[in-house]
Amino acid sequence: MWQVIGQDKILSLLDYSLKTDAIAHAYLLVGPRHVGKGTLAINLAQALNCDGPELPCGQCRSCQRILEGKHADVTPIGLDSKTEIGIDDIRGLQRLANLPPYEGKCKVFIIDDAEYLSTEAANSLLKILEEPPPRVVWLLLAAEEKHLLPTIISRCQRLELKPVPSEQVQEVLVNSYNVDADKAKLLTQLCHGRLGWALSALANDDILEQRSQRIARLVSLLTPTSRSLEQRFAYAQELASQFSQNRRAGTEIIEIWLDWWRDLMLIKGGCQEAVINVDYEIALEEQAGGLSLSEIKGFLANLCLLQEEISKNVNPRLALEWLMLNLPRRESPKH
Amino acid sequence: MKLSCLQENLNRGLSIVGRAVATRSTLPITQNILLSAEQSRLKLSATNLEMAITCWVGAKVKQKGDITVPARLLSDFVNSLPNDLIEVNLPANSRILELKSGHFQAHIHGIDAADFPPIPQINDGITTTIEAASLREGIAQVAFAAATEESRPVLTGINTEFDGEQLNLAAADGFRLAVHKTTLSSPVKEKTTVIIPARTLNELNRLIGEQEEPVEITVNEKKSQVLFRLKDAELVSQLIQGSFPNYSQVIPQSYTTRAVVDINEFLRVTKMSSIFARDASGIVRLVITPGSELAPGKITVSAQAEEVGDNVGEVDALTDGEEAKIAFNVRYLSDVLSVLSQAQVALELTTPSSPGTIRPIGVDNYVHVVMPMFVQW
């Protein structure tokens, strides 16, 4: 049984390839973070080494060992708190790739965050992707495909994992994980079709707690009592330092901002049912009341611009301060 | 698991299997050693997924069982103990190994033995035996010539050909080729060729050490693994997949100049030149001068490094043919001269741009071919 949900097209392709023994030597799995790339990679590794009748069975010893990360022929590598995957990591894999499987039927190398391969590493990987040894399958996982070398992409079969439809996510949450309807609805909206995110938020309450804190900060910047520039600049500075420590956390906060302002726009336009932050509807409505549609639209455009500029490596603090200056400031009545 | 054994034996066993423990690996458990208490002996195993070494240590086993513990921790601790009886105890349902010896004791946290990658079992395939001394010589004279960089994986291994009673070992790295032939103690039932990683064979040579008993070799049916069975240890290695280049056409069939020299003297001048060759991309120039009625023939070895200096050395030689010149990388020359045990060696050349051949005198089972370097004369 495949464990991946909502990727039926890919699964039927893989099923067919497994049945006809036409598995490619390398697959590139692209799709947003938490959409199920890792699960699919592990599943595929299981299928390639499975002893059961229905691939992957998930029950046999080999499937179990792969799931627990103990199988000698399934080698996952990733960033592991480094900033890039270096050439030494790839060289180590190359040596292993030229040896036959140790205990299973097929060697599987899983490179997570493949977009973070250094140029040298990617080039050295090219060589082995070009002349693949027998019984070796490479699985490259990437969230941001555009950072990969085109030469790598062209040597892999590309499988694109699409965000899972909301109804399906909600159904899985309610039926398979026994989540109550309200929470399921919230998680479904928040996860943007990435079931993996919803599940990790379910397992770890801190994720939702952190989100609430972040939203509280965001809301506080817009309340009438604390709208001074100083406060906003302090926030910009704090967020900028967040970026320098942990870029991903920084981008997550920007995404929360985007969702929030998108919701404001939806409410302004009267489309309450599509709102993401369903648990903050009252706060959203209150805020939306004080803003005009053009203000919201303008700020959303600014947020998108900021996101793009930061990905191009502009100074986060400057960019964020600019954003804060553009944050709508309702004139107080006494003026 | 409950047993007792001598520190000396355990320490030796740990140092044997320690060679197969992974240094850095994506599978952390491969940095552990698997201990299994069997009937009256303790089995130690380690693997780095390329090769696996298993070794048995005599022990008084009171209760069977198995566990894996970090290799460094265990071997460093056992190594520091005095030579005395060690009590090894693993309480039921526990993963903490207790070691006790005299006034000393230790607890080592381990991982379940079931999580350890299975040590490959080879029962089928082609089996043969070979004298330890012949295998030792073969590996020593060939393994150094294998490539160390991974760009052509088959060249990092040693082409091993079992043909009747013959064992042919060959290694090449694109600049040199070493071929060694020896006889097996028992013939194989069919001709088999496999590529064994050079690292494995180097480890095997260390394991053979002073052993005199013959070594049993088994290649499995699928030709994916090879097993070497020694007196009290077993080494299983994965085999490199692919086909080795056809090297026989690289070995020159004829020569125009041949010089026979004393190996030790030749090695001495070579090493001397290497001091200057260090700063000159390793280039040494060899000139073979034929002897006349009054003077014997000689090989002149020289190296010159721009703005550093130069040196010249001569070795008397029995020559045959006309004068010849050639330049080699000095390391390739000294590498081969240092592994030969014979007294004399023959150097065979044709032109400065064709490979030179080195053959030890007195035996006809070894050939070494070195590519020349191109220099201005």
Side-chain angles (χ1 to χ4, degrees), chain A residues 61 65 68-77 88-89 91-96 98-104 107 127 133-135, chain B residues 24 26-27 47-52 114-120 148 150-151 153 156 197-199 222-225 238-241:
Chain A
R61 189 176 145 75
R65 282 177 73 87
E68 289 161 15
K70 291 170 187 163
H71 199 283
D73 291 320
V74 178
T75 314
I77 65 163
D88 290 339
D89 297 317
R91 285 212 181 112
L93 296 190
Q94 272 176 343
R95 182 163 183 89
L96 279 177
N98 288 308
L99 297 169
Y102 183 87
E103 54 175 312
K107 273 197 184 246
K127 203 182 278 172
R135 291 191 284 164
Chain B
R24 61 189 274 274
T26 46
L27 203 60
T47 177
N48 56 13
L49 304 184
E50 182 174 328
M51 63 172 170
D115 294 352
F116 203 71
I119 302 296
T148 46
E150 298 286 327
S151 65
T156 61
R199 283 195 223 171
K222 281 192 283 180
K223 289 194 191 171
S224 62
Q225 286 160 341
Q238 301 287 96
L239 294 171
I240 298 174
Q241 304 294 288

Side-chain angles (χ1 to χ4, degrees), chain B residues 151-222:
Chain B
S151 65
R152 293 187 64 192
V154 290
L155 294 187
T156 61
I158 290 172
N159 193 54
T160 312
E161 191 178 281
F162 302 93
D163 186 3
E165 285 208 326
Q166 276 269 314
L167 172 68
N168 300 338
L169 299 172
D173 65 0
F175 302 103
R176 56 180 163 179
L177 164 73
V179 183
H180 183 272
K181 296 183 174 165
T182 184
T183 46
L184 296 166
S185 314
S186 60
V188 290
K189 54 181 191 281
E190 61 179 298
K191 186 172 166 178
T192 305
T193 308
V194 293
I195 306 172
I196 306 176
R199 283 195 223 171
T200 302
L201 287 185
N202 284 327
E203 279 316 320
L204 177 67
N205 231 8
R206 207 165 284 143
L207 281 188
I208 295 176
E210 299 299 309
Q211 178 182 326
E212 283 170 9
E213 291 83 352
V215 178
E216 187 186 311
I217 307 173
T218 309
V219 178
N220 72 347
E221 205 83 62
K222 281 192 283 180

Side-chain angles (χ1 to χ4, degrees), chain A residues 158-185:
Chain A
R158 190 171 166 281
L159 302 177
E160 190 174 332
L161 283 80
K162 295 272 197 301
V164 185
S166 301
E167 301 80 51
Q168 209 171 345
V169 175
Q170 199 164 349
E171 192 194 310
V172 170
L173 287 176
V174 173
N175 294 342
S176 312
Y177 292 88
N178 296 324
V179 184
D180 63 76
D182 281 350
K183 191 161 187 192
K185 168 93 177 136

